[in-house]
Each structure stands twice: as structure tokens, then as C-alpha cells.
Amino acid sequence: MPIHPDLLVGLESPDDAGVYRLNDDLAIIQTLDFFTPIVDDPYSFGQIAAANAMSDIYAMGGDPLTAMNIICFPVNTMDISVLQETLKGGLDKIKEAGALLVGGHSVEDNEFKYGLSVTGTVHPEQVLTNRGARPGDILILTKPIGTGIINTAIKGNLADKRLINEVTEIMSCLNGAAKDESIRFDISACTDVTGFGLLGHACEMIENQDIGLRIDTHKIPLIEKAMDFANMGIVPAGTHRNRDFRRGCLKGYETTKPAFMDVLFDPQTSGGLLIAVRREEGGILEQALREKGVKDASIIGEFVDEPKGMIILQD
Ligand code: CO
Ligand code: CO
Ligand code: CO
């Protein structure tokens, strides 16, 4: 039951962003996201927060047009240069995306938080919702998972400089290149992997749908060290919430190693896109993405007729 004929994507089912049709050729996409610092370097944090906020625009098949800063800052206890560097990182990422910073708002707060409200554009007929995948479609993931676990390790001073750099690069990478390449193919659904983890977001693609999903777990790209930390029990609290919420829609839960399950439900910051593409084009799109610099893009499974609304985990 749509609330308004031009509200193409609203609150009736969970999706990455809202989409409103302005006319037959143009719709706007609106989203916002902000959070507390996840890495120590303020410039990197700004880049990550902006890439993360703009990702939901790409996940709907659009391009970011304008952005506004959302800032909560402890002005009495934190050096103002931290804020300046963060905003610089965010602005550089907005520019890289080809969007414009048009304003923002800041409030004093005990805890520093930063993010963006973003408006994007898309053709109304090219909106990519997270549902709509067809049986036989191939599922591609464009970034490795494990950022939440690595961020937890960083907070516990367990990550070395190289690992911090690696995860920073993954999280600050825009999903724009992956989106641009993918829309040249016959794709039926798209979302991005964020707080609910890989399996949480994959589940949204099939929930209450006439299809199921088979995931080949050994094909999932992982940040190498994430598995090691998961084995040591270093996982964010959200992991267990994600798992408990969705375990009912998994086949193969009992036979999957618990630490690996933690990785599959690890909440991601600025994670990759999950793209459903017509079977015949799966391999070509995977290859094309890699050639365009989306080097971890991998086919991780396929949509199936049965069991409906379920994910089969296959080793
Ligand atoms: Co999203
Ligand atoms: Co979001
Ligand atoms: Co989408």
C-alpha cells in the first residue's frame, strides 16, 4: 500500500534509501548516516563516514548529487583540528563522488559523531531495490567482509599499522565504480552490506519472496585477519544480535563453524554491494568489475526456486 504514487521506495519494506519520483525521467534518492569514529585518524574517519553515507545512493542505482554534514562535537574536550580534519576527509570523498557539499548542521555533544545526509538522482525506471532477484540470478559481493571485527581489534589495540591501513582503504572506497559497471548488465536487485552483516542483508533480498538463495561460503571474500580475530572471540556485540535475528532463515547453520558464522554476521561499515545479475552475465560482470579496480568482486552464490525465503549455506 504505497503512501503516495510518486514515493517509489518508502518505509513499507526495508531498503537502502527513500526514492521519490519528481517526473517521468527523474527521481531523487534520500539517505543519511552518521556515527562515532571507528579509526583514530580523523581524515580517514571523514572519508569512511562519507563513503558509507553515499553508499546507499549507489545501492539504489543512483549517483550522489548533494550532501550535508551532520556533526556532533565535544567542543570543550576535543581539539577543533580533529573536526577540521574529519570534515576535510569527508569533503574530499564527496568531491571524488562528483557530488557537492551544500551545508550541514552541528551540535555540541559529549561524543564526537559525523556523517552526511545525501541526495542522489536516478531514472525512475532504473531504481535498484534490494528485492526483485530472479531464480537463477547470480549473487556478486564487491568488497571483502570483516571490517567490524577489525574495528573491534583496533579499539583493543590488537591491529597493526598495515591492517589498519588495509581496512581503512576498504571502508573509504566508494561503491560508485561497482555501481557504474553493474548497471550496464541485466541486474535485478542491489543492496549494500552494512550493520546487519553479509547474511542479514542477503536475507533482506529474499525475505517473504518467492525465491531462496544458495551461498557458497568458501567463495566469500574475507579480510584475512578477520577469521583469526573471530577465532579469538574478538567480535562486535552487534554480531550476535544479527545472528539471533536471522538464524531461522538459514539452512546449514548448525554445520557452520561458530567463528565463521560471526564473520558472516559481522556488522560492516561502508561494506560492498550485493548485486543480483542474470546467470549468463555473472562471470562477465565479475571479470568486468575486477578490471575496473573492484578487485575483490566475487560471485558468492545464486538465487534458487526453493527453499523460499531461506539461505542455504554450502561449503
Ligand atoms: Co544500505
Ligand atoms: Co544506511
Ligand atoms: Co538497492
Side-chain angles (χ1 to χ4, degrees), residues 15-16 31-33 52-53 56 192 194:
D15 215 311
D16 297 295
T31 184
L32 75 85
D33 209 342
N52 177 75
D56 278 330
D192 60 348
T194 50

Side-chain angles (χ1 to χ4, degrees), residues 214-287:
R214 199 199 70 230
I215 292 183
D216 298 314
T217 52
H218 65 277
K219 290 188 181 164
I220 298 169
L222 302 178
I223 301 170
E224 226 181 278
K225 280 298 247 169
M227 199 60 234
D228 297 343
F229 287 123
N231 277 324
M232 293 155 63
I234 297 158
V235 296
T239 305
H240 300 126
R241 269 199 307 277
N242 287 343
R243 190 193 59 201
D244 294 345
F245 182 52
R246 290 297 191 184
R247 61 187 287 177
C249 74
L250 300 178
K251 274 192 191 304
Y253 179 85
E254 288 75 18
T255 52
T256 305
K257 227 176 112 204
F260 186 46
M261 202 48 97
D262 288 342
V263 177
L264 299 182
F265 277 111
D266 179 37
Q268 302 299 283
T269 299
S270 193
L273 296 179
L274 277 171
I275 302 157
V277 61
R278 188 164 61 90
R279 160 173 296 279
E280 292 74 18
E281 296 184 335
I284 312 168
L285 176 54
E286 181 190 48
Q287 187 63 33

Side-chain angles (χ1 to χ4, degrees), residues 46-276:
Q47 291 217 304
I48 293 164
N52 177 75
M54 291 189 285
S55 176
D56 278 330
I57 302 286
Y58 296 126
M60 300 311 289
D63 290 300
L65 183 69
T66 56
M68 292 199 278
N69 286 328
I70 303 164
I71 301 155
C72 307
F73 195 73
V75 71
N76 295 319
T77 55
M78 202 176 265
D79 197 296
I80 195 74
S81 67
V82 173
L83 179 58
Q84 289 162 344
E85 277 298 297
T86 302
L87 295 180
K88 188 167 179 292
L91 180 59
D92 284 352
K93 216 20 103 171
I94 292 166
K95 285 180 182 162
E96 185 188 328
L100 292 169
L101 182 67
V102 296
H105 186 72
S106 60
V107 294
E108 196 181 332
D109 195 1
N110 291 332
E111 199 173 12
F112 180 30
K113 302 175 193 81
Y114 168 69
L116 298 176
S117 154
V118 192
T119 301
T121 56
V122 66
H123 191 285
E125 272 142 41
Q126 275 146 22
V127 176
L128 294 171
T129 55
N130 53 5
R131 295 172 190 198
R134 305 151 294 197
D137 279 356
I138 297 291
L139 182 64
I140 293 181
L141 173 64
T142 66
K143 285 187 187 182
I145 58 169
T147 60
I149 291 170
I150 305 298
N151 293 338
T152 306
I154 292 173
K155 288 202 177 94
N157 282 323
L158 294 164
D160 61 26
K161 187 118 206 284
R162 227 190 90 222
L163 183 58
I164 294 171
N165 288 343
E166 183 190 343
V167 76
T168 298
E169 195 186 311
I170 291 166
M171 292 187 293
S172 58
C173 178
L174 288 171
N175 280 329
K179 187 277 290 179
D180 286 346
E181 193 57 29
S182 300
I183 58 170
R184 300 174 49 236
F185 291 78
D186 181 8
I187 57 179
S188 55
C190 178
T191 190
D192 60 348
V193 182
T194 50
F196 298 132
L198 171 62
L199 291 185
H201 290 279
C203 215
E204 286 185 337
M205 300 181 89
I206 54 161
E207 192 180 26
N208 303 320
Q209 303 289 292
D210 230 13
I211 48 165
L213 173 62
R214 199 199 70 230
I215 292 183
D216 298 314
T217 52
H218 65 277
K219 290 188 181 164
I220 298 169
L222 302 178
I223 301 170
E224 226 181 278
K225 280 298 247 169
M227 199 60 234
D228 297 343
F229 287 123
N231 277 324
M232 293 155 63
I234 297 158
V235 296
T239 305
H240 300 126
R241 269 199 307 277
N242 287 343
R243 190 193 59 201
D244 294 345
F245 182 52
R246 290 297 191 184
R247 61 187 287 177
C249 74
L250 300 178
K251 274 192 191 304
Y253 179 85
E254 288 75 18
T255 52
T256 305
K257 227 176 112 204
F260 186 46
M261 202 48 97
D262 288 342
V263 177
L264 299 182
F265 277 111
D266 179 37
Q268 302 299 283
T269 299
S270 193
L273 296 179
L274 277 171
I275 302 157

